Amino acid sequence: MTDTIADRTVASSNPAWTAPLETIDPSEGTLWQRNLLLDTLERLRRDDPVHWSPTGPTGPYWSITKFDDIVAVDSNHGDFSSDRDITVGDQPPEFAIRNFIASDPPVHDVQRKSVVPAVAPGRLADLERLMRERTAAVLDALPVGEPFDWVDKVSIELTTQFLATLFDFPWEDRRLLPYWSDVTTASEATGNAMHDPAERERIMMDCHDYFARLWRERAAQPPKFDFLSLMAHNPGTADMIDNPMEFLGNIMLLVVGGNDTTRNSMSGGALFFHQNPGEFAKLKANPELVMGAVSEIIRFQSPVAHMRRTALRDVEIGGKQIHKGERVVMWYVSGNRDETVIERPNEFLIDRTRPRHHVAFGFGIHRCMGNRAAELQLRVLWEEIVKRFSRVEVIGEPERAVSNFILGYTKLMVKLHA
């Protein structure tokens, strides 16, 4: 923090800076909604970068908040397990879905490998033209000079169209995908209990039944490159349909991974360029900066706030002794603001010299397999925006989701300028 009177005044009224250190719990689900999460994590980076919280959603946990410590934990699957839970809170045992990101080798490796071809570089190259046509159509249908919700009209629509293509999902039902994604990530474990557990379970089983029908159709057809066909025809995953919680878990991992992260980066990008008009002017003047802009949007947003591991043995990190069995939470959103690694981390700068030097996609065997797909969607979007509009003006404050896991927006009112 800079030592100015204004900064000291703000800090004195901000609970992130005034609360006793031992009471700070960054998993409290409304911190992002109340715009306090970044300050809370900055406090921990400064005062207690490996922080013990006794009050997590389902028990105590460690917070890892520095870039290098996050990379060290994320890259070490031998000492830090992903098995069963990757959110700060545990899933309820009576409805514990399983998937490959919440698994260790060899299960992780077999299941992940089965779906990678859907987002391989060659496949994405084949899809880019279609993606660009759809992006252009969505943007051309927007009302210039009139207020509308960017989240609904742009972010959700574009990511849902792409996700429906990756699943070869029925086009007329594609809005079920973000609905199911939101229900999946809304639980006590993520600080959002908006759904009664029984109602959430019912909705998720409806999702299971819908996808199970599609799976059986794909299994009876010749192999294709959509997620369902790839899993149904892979010997390592063909029997997944017989395990409802594992089947549902892997389907929803792909839905959430393909929907929430890119959706919220699309919304965040509109907000950041509005807040930093000079950066949008740079992009308009030099569209070749678009890939740097995409990486900076992802870093600045950090749509997945954290990932959790469980220590498999006693390990020392940052001078703290972490014991076998304890929860270890890597706050990606904090690592991406670590001033000891990233120069001027709290500034949105699209022409950084190392734009992809961030932890938003994770590291090691669990690094986001769809990172290139996310970057492609964002690149196409901003390439098409700069062709059409002089400004994307945000009107009023963004409405933020309640979550400690997915840092998202529920509404972002904007006005386009030709």
Side-chain angles (χ1 to χ4, degrees), residues 32 35 38 150 261 263-281 283 293-303 333 337 345-350 378 382 392-394 398 400 407-409 412 414:
W32 167 250
N35 209 17
L38 295 180
W150 182 270
T261 53
R263 179 217 301 191
N264 292 309
S265 293
M266 285 182 175
S267 298
L271 177 63
F272 306 149
F273 276 123
H274 167 80
Q275 294 170 332
N276 300 273
E279 297 305 298
F280 189 65
L283 186 60
V294 165
S295 292
E296 183 70 346
I297 289 168
I298 292 168
R299 179 193 73 86
F300 215 65
Q301 180 61 37
S302 298
V333 62
R337 301 293 181 116
N346 293 318
E347 296 180 47
F348 179 72
L349 303 170
I350 69 169
L378 289 164
W382 287 101
V392 180
E393 178 187 3
V394 174
R400 300 166 182 257
L407 303 186
Y409 304 90
L412 185 71
V414 305

Side-chain angles (χ1 to χ4, degrees), residues 68-83:
D68 290 339
D69 290 337
I70 290 168
V71 173
V73 172
D74 218 2
S75 302
N76 184 2
H77 65 273
D79 290 337
F80 298 98
S81 172
S82 301
D83 191 44

Side-chain angles (χ1 to χ4, degrees), residues 400-416:
R400 300 166 182 257
V402 175
S403 181
N404 63 36
F405 185 56
I406 299 295
L407 303 186
Y409 304 90
T410 57
K411 181 178 284 189
L412 185 71
M413 295 302 296
V414 305
K415 183 186 293 186
L416 296 175

Side-chain angles (χ1 to χ4, degrees), residues 69-353:
D69 290 337
I70 290 168
V71 173
V73 172
D74 218 2
S75 302
N76 184 2
H77 65 273
D79 290 337
F80 298 98
S81 172
S82 301
D83 191 44
R84 187 168 291 279
D85 290 302
I86 48 93
T87 56
V88 59
D90 298 340
Q91 298 181 69
E94 64 275 10
F95 195 71
I97 61 177
R98 303 297 303 273
N99 55 52
F100 65 77
I101 200 174
S103 302
D104 296 325
V107 172
H108 164 271
D109 300 347
V110 171
Q111 294 182 353
R112 176 180 169 122
K113 185 177 179 180
S114 72
V115 292
V116 164
V119 290
R123 176 65 174 159
L124 293 177
D126 292 340
L127 292 173
E128 181 174 346
R129 180 177 177 180
L130 176 62
M131 186 189 307
R132 192 173 298 278
E133 291 172 353
R134 290 176 175 171
T135 301
V138 166
L139 294 178
D140 288 342
L142 297 174
V144 175
E146 300 177 15
F148 67 92
D149 180 10
W150 182 270
V151 172
D152 179 59
K153 297 295 186 183
V154 178
S155 304
I156 291 177
E157 184 57 31
L158 286 178
T159 53
T160 301
Q161 288 186 12
F162 185 62
L163 193 57
T165 301
L166 293 180
F167 275 103
D168 193 13
F169 194 83
W171 194 251
E172 65 277 10
D173 288 343
R174 65 187 184 277
R175 283 279 175 144
L176 285 172
L177 296 171
Y179 170 65
W180 286 331
S181 182
D182 290 343
V183 173
T184 298
T185 58
S187 69
E188 291 186 3
T190 61
N192 181 344
M194 64 178 290
H195 292 284
D196 174 77
E199 175 67 5
R200 179 174 180 266
E201 182 175 337
R202 182 194 65 76
I203 295 169
M204 297 313 302
M205 290 314 297
D206 286 345
C207 171
H208 168 279
D209 295 346
Y210 194 113
F211 273 105
R213 175 176 58 80
L214 295 180
W215 172 291
R216 294 187 179 97
E217 291 176 359
R218 306 296 157 76
Q221 298 168 351
K224 297 186 296 183
F225 277 100
D226 65 88
F227 284 140
L228 291 169
S229 184
L230 288 167
M231 288 191 288
H233 288 277
N234 188 297
T237 52
D239 62 352
M240 189 184 293
I241 190 70
D242 299 325
N243 185 331
M245 290 297 97
E246 188 173 44
F247 173 73
L248 177 62
N250 278 286
I251 293 299
M252 293 319 299
L253 167 62
L254 296 170
V255 171
V256 172
N259 174 71
D260 276 14
T261 53
T262 310
R263 179 217 301 191
N264 292 309
S265 293
M266 285 182 175
S267 298
L271 177 63
F272 306 149
F273 276 123
H274 167 80
Q275 294 170 332
N276 300 273
E279 297 305 298
F280 189 65
K282 285 182 189 177
L283 186 60
K284 289 279 288 185
N286 184 7
E288 292 185 0
L289 290 173
V290 68
M291 282 310 301
V294 165
S295 292
E296 183 70 346
I297 289 168
I298 292 168
R299 179 193 73 86
F300 215 65
Q301 180 61 37
S302 298
V304 176
H306 76 263
M307 282 284 172
R308 173 271 192 87
R309 303 289 184 257
T310 303
L312 295 177
R313 66 176 182 87
D314 292 355
V315 183
E316 182 178 306
I317 301 178
K320 300 291 184 71
Q321 189 68 29
I322 294 174
H323 297 291
K324 178 180 178 179
E326 291 179 336
R327 301 173 182 86
V328 179
V329 175
M330 303 170 290
W331 290 98
Y332 293 154
V333 62
S334 178
N336 282 337
R337 301 293 181 116
D338 186 349
E339 53 284 328
T340 65
V341 174
I342 299 172
E343 186 178 0
R344 298 159 65 187
N346 293 318
E347 296 180 47
F348 179 72
L349 303 170
I350 69 169
D351 51 359
R352 292 183 179 275
T353 55

